[in-house]
Every structure is written in structure tokens, then in C-alpha cells.
Amino acid sequence: MTTEYVSPLVERFATKEMARLWSAQSKFSTWRKCWIALAEAERELGLPVTDDQIAEMRAHVDDIDFEAAARFERETRHDVMAHIHAFGVVAPLAKPIIHLGATSCYVTDNTDLILLREALNIVLSKAVNVL
């Protein structure tokens, strides 16, 4: 899996920074960060989420096994479930709480918003430099 978003338009016109931002690596690492934030909030609310589970999740934010995720997606026919399972393989202690109480839209929509915000910050920075 590439660390840059690939399309003819990106290859011709996007900056490296923007291509990295919209890459699969960035997207799915952000999903994992959302699951960590969810687990932290649930722990604060008194749900049975441990510091060890959260630490295990944090330790594996960026080491995504895209081949395993693809296998799980073929089995589950669901991208979010596939990545929950792939995350659970590297963070087995946290597996029971990785998506606890959430919908698929929790990670997909929040990730889109986070990446859009980051993209706008890149554009704002470049606009300020031009001005």
C-alpha cells in the first residue's frame, strides 16, 4: 500500500504533502486514532477499558497490515470491520474494545472531517505564503 493517494489528477497536480494526507496510510491511521479517542472517553465514563488496552492500541497506530485488512474485507465485505480485525491482530488485548459502541460512520465521517481540516490548513498556509 502506498503512502500517497494515487489518481491521474494527484500525480499531475497535488503536492507531496497533500498526496500523503489523502493516502490510505493516513486514512487508516486516523481511524485508529479515532478508536483510541473513543476508548479513552469510554474509560473516563467508567466502561471497562484499561490503560493497557489503550497503550497497546497507541503502539500500533501506524503499522497497518494492508494485506491482512484486504483479506478481512474479502471475508466480511465491510471496510471498517476489516480494519477492526486487522487492528485486533496487532493489538489483541484491545480487540474487544476497538469499536465498542460505535458505528462505522464514527470512524469514516470523523476521519473525513479531520483530513478535510488538515487539507484546509495546508491550503491556508500556502495562501498566506502567496499573499
Side-chain angles (χ1 to χ4, degrees):
M1 187 63 55
T2 181
T3 59
E4 292 183 0
Y5 182 71
V6 178
S7 85
L9 293 176
V10 169
E11 291 169 354
R12 289 183 196 131
F13 305 115
T15 64
K16 291 285 184 192
E17 185 179 23
M18 200 65 86
R20 268 193 303 280
L21 177 65
W22 293 104
S23 71
Q25 178 67 46
S26 177
K27 173 183 175 178
F28 297 119
S29 290
T30 303
W31 282 14
R32 289 182 177 195
K33 291 172 189 172
C34 287
W35 285 321
I36 292 166
L38 176 65
E40 289 170 338
E42 290 171 334
R43 182 192 56 206
E44 288 176 21
L45 291 170
L47 274 71
V49 174
T50 68
D51 290 338
D52 289 340
Q53 288 171 311
I54 293 170
E56 187 177 62
M57 291 168 72
R58 278 194 190 112
H60 298 284
V61 167
D62 293 318
D63 61 338
I64 299 166
D65 183 343
F66 289 99
E67 289 180 20
R71 276 193 316 277
F72 285 123
E73 190 165 353
R74 283 190 298 275
E75 293 170 16
T76 63
R77 299 176 52 89
H78 195 281
D79 59 345
V80 175
M81 288 305 301
H83 279 272
I84 291 167
H85 288 293
F87 199 11
V89 168
V90 296
L93 184 63
K95 187 175 182 177
I97 58 97
I98 286 175
H99 193 71
L100 185 63
T103 66
S104 296
C105 288
Y106 167 73
V107 290
T108 58
D109 293 359
N110 282 305
T111 292
D112 286 347
L113 291 171
I114 291 165
L115 297 180
L116 284 167
R117 181 194 63 207
E118 293 302 316
L120 289 171
N121 283 333
I122 292 168
V123 171
L124 176 63
S125 173
K126 293 188 181 306
V128 167
N129 287 336
V130 168
L131 293 174

